[in-house]
């Protein structure tokens, strides 16, 4: 590996990539379902669901991390039975960092996919339904192909957000080198040490490059798929 970052710092970069990828892959199915529900369904509690989805954008990340600790810590409402019955532990593990990243990225991902769904002409879905297709078949054969650029864009934007997650992560899983130390928390660690300006600049440069690469990829893939779907 290049010697302009220490092995521990490269480990933080790789862990960030792993955490972000797992966070998006695990939350994407729920994100698509939630976006579809908010865009197409009308039901009691619609406004409440919308508020809960976007709550992590409004709350201080430290509060979100504390709530995750209460819910998914070893003695939490969900964390205790998960640890006892299935051996799944989130607190102070990289899996907890993935959970925190997923929660913080979820609103952006859902919002992007929801806008994509709302851009689909409902008459196309209605036409398929009149031909006898079930709701699931309409979604798979009509809606899903049309919103694929939005799904990809939402996933990549969510990935970029997960890469930069700090407050909820450090509150929920702390900052343990080699276990829960991600790229943002590695930068925070270097900030506490005098004379590490060069190392901080390099870590920041890596962070910016990854974020820009994700955004450029989102734009490129979105346009490519849109052209393919339009047949041009």
């Amino acid at each position: 590996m290049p010697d302009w970052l220490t092995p521990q710092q490269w480990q933080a970069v790789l862990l960030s990539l792993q955490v972000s990828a797992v966070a998006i892959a695990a939350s994407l199915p729920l994100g698509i379902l939630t976006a579809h529900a908010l865009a197409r369904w009308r039901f009691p509690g619609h406004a409440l669901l919308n508020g809960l989805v976007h709550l992590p954008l409004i709350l201080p990340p430290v509060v979100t991390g504390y709530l995750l600790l209460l819910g998914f810590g070893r003695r939490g409402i969900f964390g205790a039975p998960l640890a006892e019955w299935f051996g799944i532990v989130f607190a102070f593990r990289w899996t907890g960092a993935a959970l925190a990243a997923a929660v913080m990225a979820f609103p952006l991902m859902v919002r992007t996919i929801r806008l994509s769904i709302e851009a689909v002409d409902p008459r196309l879905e209605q036409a398929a339904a009149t031909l006898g297709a079930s709701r699931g078949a309409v979604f798979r054969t009509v809606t899903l192909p049309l919103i694929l650029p939005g799904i990809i864009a939402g996933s990549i934007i969510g990935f970029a957000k997960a890469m930069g997650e700090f407050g909820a992560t450090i509150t929920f899983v702390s900052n343990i080198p080699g276990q829960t130390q991600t790229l943002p928390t590695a930068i925070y660690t270097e900030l506490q040490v005098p004379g590490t300006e060069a190392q901080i600049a390099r870590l920041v440069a890596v962070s910016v490059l990854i974020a820009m690469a994700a955004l450029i990829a989102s734009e490129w893939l979105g346009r490519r798929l849109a052209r393919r779907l339009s047949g041009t």
Side-chain angles (χ1 to χ4, degrees), residues 18-42:
Q18 176 183 336
V19 162
S20 300
V22 170
I24 298 306
S27 61
L28 182 58
L30 180 60
I32 295 173
L33 176 62
T34 304
H36 190 264
L38 292 174
R40 288 288 189 256
W41 303 348
R42 291 296 175 265

Side-chain angles (χ1 to χ4, degrees), residues 2 17 41 43 70 81 89 105-106 141 156 161-163 190 196 198 204:
L17 292 171
W41 303 348
F43 52 89
L70 290 179
V89 178
F106 194 72
T141 60
I156 296 177
K161 171 63 177 175
M163 280 290 299
E190 294 295 339
T196 57
V204 169

Side-chain angles (χ1 to χ4, degrees), residues 1-18 163 175-207 210:
M1 290 183 180
D3 58 4
W4 49 282
L5 288 182
T6 67
Q8 182 175 306
Q9 291 167 342
W10 274 114
Q11 192 173 34
V13 173
L14 295 176
L15 182 60
S16 287
L17 292 171
Q18 176 183 336
M163 280 290 299
N175 182 17
I176 306 171
Q179 297 185 45
T180 65
Q181 187 177 80
T182 57
L183 182 53
T185 55
I187 294 173
Y188 174 79
T189 299
E190 294 295 339
L191 285 169
Q192 313 307 307
V193 182
T196 57
E197 290 79 7
Q199 291 293 324
I200 294 170
R202 291 167 185 166
L203 287 170
V204 169
V206 171
S207 181
I210 292 173

Side-chain angles (χ1 to χ4, degrees), residues 100-118:
V103 169
M104 296 303 295
F106 194 72
L108 294 177
M109 183 169 59
V110 169
R111 181 65 178 169
T112 304
I113 298 173
R114 178 183 177 180
L115 290 174
S116 183
I117 294 173
E118 290 174 343

Side-chain angles (χ1 to χ4, degrees), residues 36-86:
H36 190 264
L38 292 174
R40 288 288 189 256
W41 303 348
R42 291 296 175 265
F43 52 89
H46 184 279
L48 177 61
L49 176 61
N50 187 53
L52 289 174
V53 167
H54 291 88
L55 195 60
L57 291 179
I58 302 169
L59 287 175
V62 173
V63 174
T64 302
Y66 180 68
L67 293 175
L68 286 172
L69 191 59
L70 290 179
F72 292 92
R74 286 185 177 273
R75 298 182 180 179
I77 299 172
F78 307 108
L82 283 172
E84 182 178 351
W85 300 340
F86 304 104

